[in-house]
């Protein structure tokens, strides 16, 4: 099952923007994996949202002036083809 880890500082995304981003990431992973677009298949793609408090995302030892985002996508070994 593919998993998406989305990390960003608190307040960096409005609720509707977060929803759209998760939907777009899910659709992209589904397409990359060659999965069906059926709801029951897309339900196998899990997204873990990690909204960090201020100071929870640091760059160069300081809290950056602009938000930093991290997206990590994990798939089971051997599930991707060439």
């Amino acid at each position: 099952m593919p998993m998406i880890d989305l990390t960003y500082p608190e307040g960096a995304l409005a609720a509707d923007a977060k929803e759209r981003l998760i939907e777009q990431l899910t659709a992209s992973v589904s397409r990359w994996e060659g999965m069906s677009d059926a709801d029951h298949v897309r339900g196998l793609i899990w997204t873990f949202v990690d909204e960090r408090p201020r100071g929870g995302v640091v760059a160069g030892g300081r809290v950056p002036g602009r938000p930093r985002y991290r997206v990590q996508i994990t798939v089971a070994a051997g599930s991707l083809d060439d």
Side-chain angles (χ1 to χ4, degrees), residues 58-64:
V58 179
R62 299 195 172 148
V63 176

Side-chain angles (χ1 to χ4, degrees), residues 2-81:
M3 291 181 282
I4 302 166
D5 290 292
L6 173 60
T7 306
Y8 59 90
E10 185 177 40
L13 292 174
D16 61 328
K18 178 173 66 172
E19 223 174 272
R20 281 193 315 272
L21 177 58
I22 291 169
E23 179 61 33
Q24 290 172 353
L25 288 169
T26 300
S28 294
V29 168
S30 177
R31 186 174 57 254
W32 295 336
E33 288 288 290
M35 299 170 77
S36 163
D37 199 36
D39 285 341
H40 70 282
V41 175
R42 286 176 60 129
L44 299 173
I45 303 170
W46 294 7
T47 302
F48 296 86
V49 178
D50 183 7
E51 191 173 37
R52 302 276 173 105
R54 178 163 168 70
V57 178
V58 179
R62 299 195 172 148
V63 176
R66 296 174 60 182
R68 303 290 201 261
Y69 303 85
R70 179 178 64 185
V71 176
Q72 292 180 294
I73 299 171
T74 307
V75 295
S79 64
L80 292 174
D81 59 21

